[in-house]
Amino acid sequence: MAANKPSLRLETDVQYLKGVGPKLGELFAKKGIHTVFDLLKLYPRAYEDRRAARNIASLKAEEVVSLKAQVLKVTPISMGRSQRKIYDITFRDASGVIHAKYFRVPYRGYFERFQPFHEYRVIGKVINYRGRLEFHHPDIRDLESEEEIQDDLIPIYSEMENLTSSKIQRLIRSALDQVSKAEWPLEKFPKNLMEKCGLIPLKEALYQIHKPSPEMSQMLLELKSPAHHRLIFEEFFWLELYLAAKKSGLKKEQGLSILSAGEFRQRLLKSLPFQLTGAQLRCADQVHKDLKGPHPMNRLVQGDVGSGKTLVAFMAALDVIEAGYQVALMAPTEILAEQHFRNAQKILSPLGIKLGLLTGKSKASERKALIEQLQAGDIDLLIGTHALIEDPVQFQALGLVIIDEQHRFGVQQRAQLKQKGHCPHFLVMTATPIPRTLAMTVYGDLDVSVIDEMPPGRSPIQTRAAFESKRKMAFDFMAEQIAKGRQAYVVYPLVDESEKMDLKNAVQEFEKLKAEYPQIRWALMHGRMKSDEKDEVMEAFRRHEHDVLVSTTVIEVGVDVPNANVMIVEHAERFGLSQLHQLRGRVGRGTHKSFCLLMMGHAVSEEGRERTRFMETTTDGFKVAEKDLEMRGPGEFLGTRQSGLAGFQLANLVRDVMILQEARDAAFEIFLKDPEMKSAENALLRDELFRAHGITSLAGIA
Ligand code: ADP
Ligand code: MG
């Protein structure tokens, strides 16, 4: 039926929506909202239950509440030497006073909009902070603009410059009302997928999420409504469908089948003074199967610090070398590369394996000789830093690339190295244990093996967080351990990101400590030292010529001194959780009971406190990583914006990991049943996949 007035369509430019116009349209465009459909994908981030309105005196910790209150004042509070400020808004109603704190500014001009003695609505979670109830980052709404909406359950949108949540709500309502039924696009998900995963149609989900019905209030408040399920699933699904397509493509790649008898690895195992753990054997076995197979291996081995990943990697290397190919092992730092090299000298050289070491430090003449040897096939295993992938390095027959500590390398570098070989196998090792499903998503097309067992005989490290005032006690405790023949580390953070300050801090403290404990043999290591100087210090510490190594974070990876059993971290609040866990992993490597003491400065933030306190509660790297992920969010945690992980509106990689798994299973099943995506029911999925990645066939997937 032809309508007289043009109806609004989902793909209509959002500025033609009544109430928007060019100026607001520009603001929306800046936020990536171009069409009406984009606007509908601006989901509420919370809901306000009007029926739960309260007064200040009746508030209890942990409740999510809504209250009407007057602003008394807005106070900016400076944080120490840094430029950072906390904002504190004081609210009052007839029953009492409460403070709302902001640790960042939501947008420029946010705090200027509050008028003293005006009433606002405050919505948020009540927090007990050091015995006092307060809000952290609550939503604050103008009362005047909201009165026209009378519902009990109100969606709350993230505000943008001058655009309040209630204005956004009105625009979205009007869009939903205007988009005629006929204009609604086809559901892209096949029926069987929706039935199997219990998904409601997209249209229904959008209405439910933007025009909430009070019966749904509990589910909506918890972000667990059918609408949330559908929309979160959808966000994950497109990513997983892409990964499944990529993986399916890799299955078509021809790899080197490594058919070795496993003679070398048997000899290695016999030469070790210990047995491999069950988990190490299981992982080695998975790797072995991959290597034998017709396609290139793409496997991630995850295992906590000290779980023995190196041996799993060495076993893979031996199989490949036995079959007549070369192996490259790439480490993130020189210290770590050198340690791998030394370790390989010790346990692989006796088997007749020819080794090479190539780092940024290698002299030009050494490099030249190495590269010649490599081309002549006189090196079986080349160990190094990223210098390994620099242009002149050519292998004769590269069969396997091992990358230690994956998160420090970019995807790009991986691809670069791959180009050098003839489709080599890939083995990636990481000590950043994250939930399995998440790992598979984050690392894209990699298969994941987990070493979830520690070598026997390691007693758990005892961790204590303490304020600086306990510093003397901590160092006295360390001195006692030294007197018993043990060794220790003292670590200083980077101060204000400046190497100079960092250096000064460690050097100054080093001098003070030397004077304070003259009976102890102190050593100092920092990032400004040349690498051979660092090596010298490290070696001397290893030989127990020093008792305590004072250092900046250069010891974070790569140091393996089993006699060291005390780790003191100064200003521990400045470190991230995963970093603290890595540092802590430097002790507890021998049979001695080990200790980690986290010293907090007095200007510690709530978050810093929470981190150090959390470290006391667990030594499980998985738990630490999960908490880290939760506190920092995936973007910062993973240190990358790769593979579409940053683009989620509604989905949360930590909270929604179950839905992630569902979406992943569904996507991979599609490729299992229909590898070319040729069936009619998958046609719309395929079109969307092609459109989103700008490709015209599955072979085009990068
Ligand atoms: P990571 O997983 O952190 O890379 P490493 O491979 O460096 O750990 O191993 C840590 C230490 O544990 C090394 O000294 C290694 O020789 C030792 N190790 C590895 N596997 C075992 C085992 N099964 N039993 C005892 N010690 C082991
Ligand atoms: Mg390691």
Side-chain angles (χ1 to χ4, degrees):
M1 194 183 74
N4 285 336
K5 61 174 186 242
S7 63
L8 199 69
R9 299 159 58 103
L10 286 177
E11 57 273 29
T12 304
D13 190 329
V14 71
Q15 64 168 306
Y16 300 122
L17 180 68
K18 193 161 164 280
V20 179
K23 199 154 160 254
L24 205 48
E26 219 169 274
L27 173 63
F28 277 143
K30 263 201 297 194
K31 306 270 168 188
I33 299 167
H34 303 285
T35 64
V36 171
F37 193 37
D38 291 338
L39 181 67
L40 294 182
K41 284 192 278 188
L42 190 65
Y43 305 123
R45 58 182 178 75
Y47 294 87
E48 177 202 348
D49 191 351
R50 281 285 163 78
R51 296 162 303 181
R54 300 279 291 280
N55 67 29
I56 291 174
S58 73
L59 299 181
K60 290 192 191 70
E62 294 302 303
E63 293 179 306
V64 177
V65 296
S66 151
L67 59 92
K68 275 188 199 178
Q70 231 178 31
V71 164
L72 281 185
K73 60 177 186 223
V74 179
T75 321
I77 304 167
S78 294
M79 290 297 289
R81 280 174 303 171
S82 72
Q83 295 288 324
R84 271 189 53 209
K85 278 198 177 80
I86 288 181
Y87 286 86
D88 182 320
I89 310 180
T90 315
F91 285 99
R92 87 160 166 216
D93 68 7
S95 74
V97 167
I98 191 162
H99 293 263
K101 282 193 187 143
Y102 288 79
F103 301 100
R104 12 169 231 285
V105 182
Y107 54 82
R108 204 196 301 196
Y110 183 85
F111 295 103
E112 282 75 40
R113 76 180 229 238
F114 298 112
Q115 312 250 12
F117 308 113
H118 274 231
E119 267 210 318
Y120 296 87
R121 185 178 294 281
V122 186
I123 306 133
K125 188 168 165 184
V126 182
I127 287 166
N128 181 341
Y129 181 71
R130 299 189 189 180
R132 200 170 79 162
L133 297 183
E134 59 188 39
F135 290 107
H136 290 172
H137 290 263
D139 287 298
I140 300 177
R141 307 180 59 171
D142 291 323
L143 279 181
E144 295 91 65
S145 63
E146 71 170 18
E147 291 315 325
E148 65 191 74
I149 295 164
Q150 300 296 333
D151 300 348
D152 287 335
L153 198 62
I154 313 263
I156 298 168
Y157 299 88
S158 294
E159 309 200 327
M160 359 182 155
E161 301 154 45
N162 297 325
L163 197 58
T164 62
S165 173
S166 32
K167 176 90 198 274
I168 298 171
Q169 184 190 0
R170 257 176 286 140
L171 291 174
I172 289 181
R173 276 185 168 224
S174 130
L176 276 176
D177 292 342
Q178 283 179 64
V179 176
S180 70
K181 283 194 173 107
E183 300 296 345
W184 208 267
L186 283 173
E187 175 68 52
K188 288 197 174 71
F189 285 170
K191 249 209 186 75
N192 62 359
L193 172 71
M194 297 192 41
E195 269 164 26
K196 207 176 80 208
C197 300
L199 304 174
I200 61 170
L202 178 62
K203 181 178 176 183
E204 195 179 322
L206 289 174
Y207 274 90
Q208 199 178 84
I209 205 160
H210 290 299
K211 296 177 101 180
S213 74
E215 303 89 75
M216 291 269 183
S217 70
Q218 203 50 41
M219 283 194 285
L220 286 165
L221 286 167
E222 291 172 13
L223 310 180
K224 283 183 182 154
S225 68
H228 284 93
H229 183 236
R230 153 79 204 211
L231 297 168
I232 291 168
F233 182 97
E234 176 150 8
E235 288 184 356
F236 285 143
F237 181 80
W238 294 120
L239 173 62
E240 294 298 342
L241 193 67
Y242 163 74
L243 293 176
K246 202 167 151 185
K247 183 103 192 206
S248 171
L250 283 177
K251 287 257 158 64
K252 291 172 205 143
E253 255 177 39
Q254 203 55 36
L256 307 163
S257 285
I258 302 297
L259 303 167
S260 54
E263 203 180 296
F264 278 154
R265 68 148 80 192
Q266 288 313 323
R267 279 167 56 200
L268 170 68
L269 292 187
K270 276 201 207 105
S271 74
L272 294 174
F274 48 76
Q275 301 219 307
L276 291 201
T277 62
Q280 280 172 311
L281 287 171
R282 199 186 57 240
C283 286
D285 201 45
Q286 284 164 349
V287 169
H288 191 59
K289 281 212 184 84
D290 286 354
L291 290 174
K292 272 198 302 202
H295 312 297
M297 169 170 76
N298 263 293
R299 186 168 288 279
L300 173 77
V301 172
Q302 262 192 7
D304 210 341
V305 207
S307 62
K309 294 182 289 292
T310 313
L311 278 171
V312 173
F314 280 180
M315 278 160 70
L318 288 177
D319 285 342
V320 173
I321 292 167
E322 193 177 321
Y325 296 100
Q326 290 168 307
V327 177
L329 193 167
M330 193 154 88
T333 63
E334 276 170 19
I335 290 188
L336 195 54
E338 281 156 18
Q339 179 165 299
H340 278 312
F341 183 70
R342 258 194 310 272
N343 195 13
Q345 277 181 320
K346 207 169 75 192
I347 66 177
L348 300 183
S349 293
L351 307 176
I353 306 298
K354 288 166 287 178
L355 305 171
L357 175 67
L358 184 66
T359 66
K361 216 168 83 181
S362 308
K363 293 195 193 76
S365 56
E366 290 169 359
R367 278 181 81 91
K368 200 160 156 263
L370 259 177
I371 288 169
E372 276 169 23
Q373 280 176 290
L374 200 62
Q375 265 162 334
D378 288 341
I379 289 177
D380 300 316
L381 172 59
L382 181 65
I383 298 173
T385 53
H386 60 274
L388 278 194
I389 61 167
E390 277 164 22
D391 261 338
V393 185
Q394 286 294 343
F395 293 81
Q396 191 194 48
L398 181 60
L400 167 68
V401 175
I402 301 167
I403 300 179
D404 199 9
E405 302 302 341
Q406 139 86 13
H407 61 288
R408 286 164 186 260
F409 287 105
V411 176
Q412 211 183 343
Q413 282 171 306
R414 211 173 99 201
Q416 223 174 324
L417 197 49
K418 194 166 172 168
Q419 281 167 2
K420 300 204 173 236
H422 328 270
C423 238
H425 295 283
F426 264 97
L427 183 66
V428 175
M429 300 188 283
T430 177
T432 309
I434 50 179
R436 207 185 158 80
T437 315
L438 184 54
M440 291 189 292
T441 297
V442 170
Y443 298 116
D445 48 327
L446 297 181
D447 294 305
V448 179
S449 294
V450 184
I451 307 185
D452 51 6
E453 187 185 345
M454 283 296 199
R458 305 226 175 119
S459 58
I461 303 162
Q462 202 175 328
T463 305
R464 282 280 165 275
F467 282 108
E468 254 164 25
S469 44
K470 296 268 166 64
R471 208 164 162 261
K472 177 102 175 63
M473 272 171 76
F475 279 89
D476 284 351
F477 174 80
M478 182 190 79
E480 277 168 36
Q481 292 293 316
I482 302 294
K484 287 183 188 160
R486 301 286 77 76
Q487 287 164 279
Y489 302 99
V490 180
V491 175
Y492 288 89
L494 282 166
V495 177
D496 290 337
E497 306 283 304
S498 125
E499 248 185 278
K500 240 190 206 152
M501 288 289 287
D502 159 33
L503 188 66
K504 190 168 141 226
N505 211 26
V507 172
Q508 269 178 358
E509 291 304 320
F510 173 68
E511 295 299 335
K512 263 199 246 160
L513 286 166
K514 257 196 342 201
E516 229 175 308
Y517 298 90
Q519 77 279 22
I520 290 176
R521 296 171 298 167
W522 298 88
L524 176 67
M525 189 163 90
H526 56 75
R528 284 274 182 103
M529 284 160 73
K530 295 211 186 76
S531 17
D532 37 349
E533 288 176 313
K534 279 192 268 185
D535 284 359
E536 245 163 66
V537 175
M538 223 30 256
E539 271 314 306
F541 183 66
R542 207 190 299 276
R543 290 193 301 264
H544 202 166
E545 286 162 22
H546 306 299
D547 300 309
V548 184
L549 184 61
V550 177
S551 163
T552 52
T553 47
V554 283
I555 63 148
E556 187 188 338
V557 282
V559 181
D560 189 20
V561 181
N563 189 47
N565 77 327
V566 180
M567 162 67 67
I568 297 183
V569 183
E570 297 264 34
H571 287 289
E573 76 277 3
R574 300 209 187 130
F575 292 92
L577 276 173
S578 294
Q579 218 181 357
L580 287 175
H581 184 68
Q582 289 280 344
L583 285 172
R584 181 166 63 179
R586 299 305 114 207
V587 296
R589 299 174 88 80
T591 46
H592 310 290
K593 171 115 192 82
S594 294
F595 306 88
C596 176
L597 306 171
L598 304 175
M599 310 310 294
M600 293 181 282
H602 284 293
V604 55
S605 70
E606 176 63 3
E607 229 182 274
R609 242 172 110 90
E610 194 182 335
R611 278 200 302 269
T612 45
R613 288 274 144 82
F614 182 81
M615 291 298 291
E616 292 183 326
T617 66
T618 185
T619 52
D620 181 337
F622 269 90
K623 293 208 178 109
V624 173
E626 260 171 66
K627 179 77 176 176
D628 200 14
L629 190 55
E630 181 194 308
M631 288 186 76
R632 284 198 291 165
E636 211 179 319
F637 174 84
L638 301 166
T640 166
R641 311 226 116 211
Q642 70 190 37
S643 56
L645 286 172
F648 300 134
Q649 303 273 331
L650 204 55
N652 174 312
L653 281 162
V654 179
R655 184 192 65 207
D656 303 322
V657 76
M658 300 283 284
I659 305 178
L660 176 62
Q661 183 70 55
E662 277 174 34
R664 184 172 174 90
D665 291 347
F668 276 72
E669 201 186 306
I670 284 172
F671 273 92
L672 209 63
K673 288 189 177 151
D674 182 14
E676 302 299 323
M677 294 198 92
K678 281 192 169 132
S679 72
E681 60 174 20
N682 291 333
L684 289 172
L685 291 183
R686 194 195 51 206
D687 290 351
E688 175 61 23
L689 186 68
F690 285 8
R691 190 199 60 73
H693 296 280
I695 50 175
T696 49
S697 79
L698 281 175
I701 291 242

